[in-house]
Amino acid sequence: MKSIKKFIYFIAAAAVLGSTSCTKTEDFLMLEDPDGVDARIWEEEPAIQYFLNETYQMIMPQFAYEYTTNNFNMHLVSDENYMSANDGFGKKVFNFNGFLSSDECRYIGTKYAGANFGENRYFDVAKCNLAIENIPLSKSLSTTSKRKLIGQFYALRGILYLGLTKYYGGVPLVLKPQNPSNLNLAGREKASVMFKQIVADFDSAIVNLDGVTWVDASERGKLTKAAAAALKAKALLWWASPLFNPTNDPAHPYDATRWATALKASEEAMAICTASGHMLLSDYSKIFQSEGAVNKEAIIVRSYSESQLKRFNGVEARCRPASEQGQPSDWYYPSTNMLDAYTMNDGTPISKSAAYDPVLFWKNRDPRFDATIAWNGCVWKLSSKTGRRQWTYNSAIANGINEGTRGVYVKRFSSPDLAAENVRSANDLGGSGMDWIELRLAEVILDYAEVANETGNLGLAKTLVQQIRKRAGIVAGSSNYGLDLATDQAQMRDLIMNERMVEFAFEGKRNDDLRRTRRMHLLTGMLGSIQVEPITTAEKTNLEKPIDPLVPTGLLQRDTINFNSAASVKAHFKYPYKVVYPTGNGAFSMPQNYYFFSLSNQFLNSTPLLQQTIGWDGGTFDPL
C-alpha cells in the first residue's frame, strides 16, 4: 500500500473544506482503488486532515447503546439493563437458546472493507499504519504539524488494539502498511505483546501531542496528551486486572508488579489531566447536556450534530417515552440490579440502611438515581415542560399514548428542552446532536482509586472515591460518605465496582468491568425489572380522570398522589411491585470461556496461521 495507486485527487476541495469535524473522506475524495492512497497526500496537510477525519469516524467510540445490531452488542451485555426480549445474544448469555457461535461474537469483522463502524478493524489499522509511516517522510510539513498529526494516529491505533485485545486477548499485530484485504499475518500475538505495543502507541501519542492544544470549536473531539495519558493508564489497568492477571490460575500466576506499573500510570494521568484544566463538572445530571469548553470533565468526545448529514444519533428517541415521540429501547430499561446499586444519600447501601423504604425506592437515594432513572410519578422535564410527570404504571395513558411499557426509564441522555417533533431523524438529520463522552475525568479518578486500593493504599482509594461521591451530592453522614463501611481491601474493591456501576450507568462500561474483573460468570439468577400495576382496573380509570371535570385539560387525579408517602402510593398501586423478565430468558449463566471472544469463522479462515481461542470449538490459542 506504500506505492502510488490510481487516485482521483481533489486536493483543492480538501483545502477549501479543511474543517476538522469528523466527516467521511469519501464525501470529498473518490478512490478508484479502495486499497490505494496517493503518496501526494502526505505533502498536503488539508488532505492528511481529511484522511485523519475518516480515521476518527471509523475508530472513535460511539454512544454505547446507539448500535446494538450487526453482532457488535456482545460487549454491551451486562446486569445494568433488562435487555431486549428479542435479542439473541443477550438470551444466549442469559443461558437461553444454546451457546454463541464464533460468528455471533464478531468484532474484527469480515476481510472486506465495511462502510459501517466496526465492520473490519484491519482497514482502520491500515489507515493508522499508512499515516504513521508516511507523515515523518513528508518534505513539506512542519515539525509541529507532523507531531500533532502523527500523535493522533498513534492514539487511534492504540484505541483500536486495546479494543481488540480486551475482547480477544490477542490478535494479529500489524504495524506496517499492508493491504487489509490480503493481510500477511503471522498469527495471533499473546496479550503481553499486545499490551506492550498498546502502551508504546500511547507513549508516542503523549510525546507528540505534548504542548498541542485544540482551541477552534471545529477541533472539538481531537485527541490530546491528556487523553493519551488516560488511555495508557486504562490499558495498564486492564493488564493488571484479573482478566489478564488471574489470581487463581496456576498456569498464569498473579503478577503484583503490574498493579504498581498501573499505579504510576494513573498518577501521571491524573497530573496531566489536571494540568490540562480537566475537572469534575459540578452537576452530574448535566454531564451529557454540557458540550464544548464548558465541560472540562470530558476528555475523549465523539461529536454529533442534529444539522449535519451523517452525524445524527438516535439516542434521544431510544430514551424518551412514546408520548414525547420516543421509541424506548430495552437497552435503556434499568434492571433491578441497577436500581439496587444506588446507595442512600449518605452513601449507605440500601441493604444496610434503616432509612430505605422499598415502596418509595426512589426516596433519599444517591442523587445520581434521580439524574439517571425516571420512575412512576417522578418529574422529568421534556419538550420544555417544566414539572412534567412521567407515568409508568401498566397501560398509563399520556397524550393518548400508552406510557406503561416499562416501569422505569433512563433519562440521563435526554435533552429537556428538545421539542418532541425534533426527536426522531428524517433524512439523517434531527435528534439532539448530543455528543458522546467516551472518557471523562471521573473515570480517570476511579481507575486511580482502583489501582491505589490494589497496591495497598486504602486511604488514597477512599479519598479519590470521596471526590466522586461529593460531586454526586451524597452527604457525609455518619460514615464518611459511606466509605467507612469498607474496612479492608476486599470490601473497598466491591465498593469501587459498585461506584463504577452507578457513576457510569448506561455508558457502556459495565460489561467491561464485569469481564475485566472476572465477575461476569458470578452473576446468578433471573435478570428483570419492575412493572407498576394500579390496584384495580377501576383505580386506573380513576387515576386518569380530571380533578375538575369542567377543566378537562387540568390536573388529573394521579397528579395529587403524594409520592413521599408509602401509604399514599400503596393506596393506588400494587405492592410488592411486579418483577418482569424478557420473554424466554433463563437465569444468568455465562461460561468462563466467554471472557475472551472467539474469532469469526470468516476471519479465522482468511489464513491458516490463525488459531481459534482456547475454550471454543477447536480452540488452541491461549491469550495468557
Side-chain angles (χ1 to χ4, degrees), residues 339 342-350 353-370 373 375-376 378 562-569 577:
L339 299 179
Y342 291 88
T343 68
M344 302 301 288
N345 61 4
D346 63 353
T348 305
I350 61 172
S353 175
Y356 176 65
D357 185 343
V359 178
L360 309 177
F361 60 85
W362 54 85
K363 188 176 180 181
N364 296 327
R365 299 294 291 275
D366 175 341
R368 288 172 292 189
F369 188 96
D370 183 37
I373 309 297
W375 63 89
N376 187 48
C378 78
N562 179 2
F563 282 93
N564 287 315
S565 165
S568 177
V569 170
Y577 300 116

Side-chain angles (χ1 to χ4, degrees), residues 250-271:
H252 308 290
Y254 173 70
D255 181 357
T257 63
R258 297 188 198 178
W259 285 110
T261 304
L263 176 64
K264 182 180 179 182
S266 281
E267 290 171 343
E268 292 172 350
M270 276 295 298

Side-chain angles (χ1 to χ4, degrees), residues 67-77 87 89 104 331:
Y67 299 101
T68 56
T69 57
N70 298 325
N71 300 335
F72 303 146
N73 55 350
M74 266 297 299
H75 68 288
L76 298 178
V77 175
D87 183 77
F89 308 110
E104 290 171 317
W331 291 92

Side-chain angles (χ1 to χ4, degrees), residues 283-325:
D283 187 345
Y284 175 85
S285 70
K286 296 294 193 296
I287 289 173
F288 279 87
Q289 285 78 17
S290 303
E291 297 185 352
V294 299
N295 192 342
K296 298 185 184 301
E297 182 169 344
I299 297 174
I300 298 179
V301 175
R302 185 185 180 105
S303 182
Y304 287 88
S305 171
E306 75 282 3
S307 59
Q308 294 184 29
L309 285 171
K310 298 186 178 181
R311 293 183 63 195
F312 162 85
N313 74 66
V315 172
E316 187 80 34
R318 287 177 180 268
C319 291
R320 281 198 179 205
S323 65
E324 294 294 333
Q325 290 301 304

Side-chain angles (χ1 to χ4, degrees), residues 140-437:
S140 60
L141 293 183
S142 68
T143 300
T144 299
S145 292
K146 288 180 180 180
R147 286 179 58 241
K148 71 178 183 181
L149 289 166
I150 201 170
Q152 294 172 82
F153 280 107
Y154 271 120
L156 287 167
R157 190 171 72 178
I159 290 172
L160 272 175
Y161 277 129
L162 178 58
L164 291 172
T165 304
K166 288 193 304 184
Y167 299 130
Y168 296 101
V171 294
L173 186 58
V174 180
L175 301 174
K176 294 292 184 179
Q178 289 189 30
N179 183 335
S181 293
N182 187 27
L183 288 173
N184 181 22
L185 300 178
R188 299 171 71 173
E189 293 288 356
K190 58 185 179 180
S192 59
V193 175
M194 298 301 302
F195 277 103
K196 182 178 180 180
Q197 183 58 51
I198 291 163
V199 170
D201 278 352
F202 290 141
D203 276 335
S204 295
I206 291 169
V207 170
N208 282 284
L209 294 174
D210 186 32
V212 175
T213 57
W214 309 115
V215 294
D216 189 281
S218 64
E219 295 177 319
R220 182 159 48 94
K222 285 191 171 184
L223 292 164
T224 63
K225 177 183 178 181
L231 287 166
K232 175 185 173 180
K234 174 68 68 180
L236 287 168
L237 170 64
W238 273 85
W239 179 230
S241 294
L243 180 62
F244 293 97
N245 192 20
T247 61
N248 59 351
D249 185 350
H252 308 290
Y254 173 70
D255 181 357
T257 63
R258 297 188 198 178
W259 285 110
T261 304
L263 176 64
K264 182 180 179 182
S266 281
E267 290 171 343
E268 292 172 350
M270 276 295 298
I272 291 171
C273 288
T274 302
S276 300
H278 291 290
M279 60 184 68
L280 293 175
L281 200 67
S282 60
D283 187 345
Y284 175 85
S285 70
K286 296 294 193 296
I287 289 173
F288 279 87
Q289 285 78 17
S290 303
E291 297 185 352
V294 299
N295 192 342
K296 298 185 184 301
E297 182 169 344
I299 297 174
I300 298 179
V301 175
R302 185 185 180 105
S303 182
Y304 287 88
S305 171
E306 75 282 3
S307 59
Q308 294 184 29
L309 285 171
K310 298 186 178 181
R311 293 183 63 195
F312 162 85
N313 74 66
V315 172
E316 187 80 34
R318 287 177 180 268
C319 291
R320 281 198 179 205
S323 65
E324 294 294 333
Q325 290 301 304
Q327 295 174 301
S329 166
D330 280 342
W331 291 92
Y332 287 115
Y333 193 169
S335 69
T336 53
N337 290 32
M338 186 74 243
L339 299 179
D340 292 346
Y342 291 88
T343 68
M344 302 301 288
N345 61 4
D346 63 353
T348 305
I350 61 172
S351 61
K352 297 181 179 180
S353 175
Y356 176 65
D357 185 343
V359 178
L360 309 177
F361 60 85
W362 54 85
K363 188 176 180 181
N364 296 327
R365 299 294 291 275
D366 175 341
R368 288 172 292 189
F369 188 96
D370 183 37
T372 305
I373 309 297
W375 63 89
N376 187 48
C378 78
V379 174
W380 185 7
K381 181 184 179 184
L382 289 173
S383 303
S384 298
K385 300 172 185 175
T386 301
R388 174 192 170 277
R389 286 191 178 274
Q390 179 62 47
W391 302 104
T392 71
Y393 60 85
N394 192 18
S395 300
I397 301 299
N399 296 341
I401 298 174
N402 176 18
E403 294 284 78
T405 57
R406 61 201 56 230
V408 279
Y409 288 78
V410 171
K411 63 181 179 181
R412 66 180 305 222
F413 303 116
S414 60
S415 301
D417 295 314
L418 181 69
E421 61 267 23
N422 296 325
V423 167
R424 301 188 191 181
S425 65
N427 301 319
D428 205 23
L429 297 171
S432 67
M434 181 181 289
D435 289 349
W436 170 245
I437 303 174

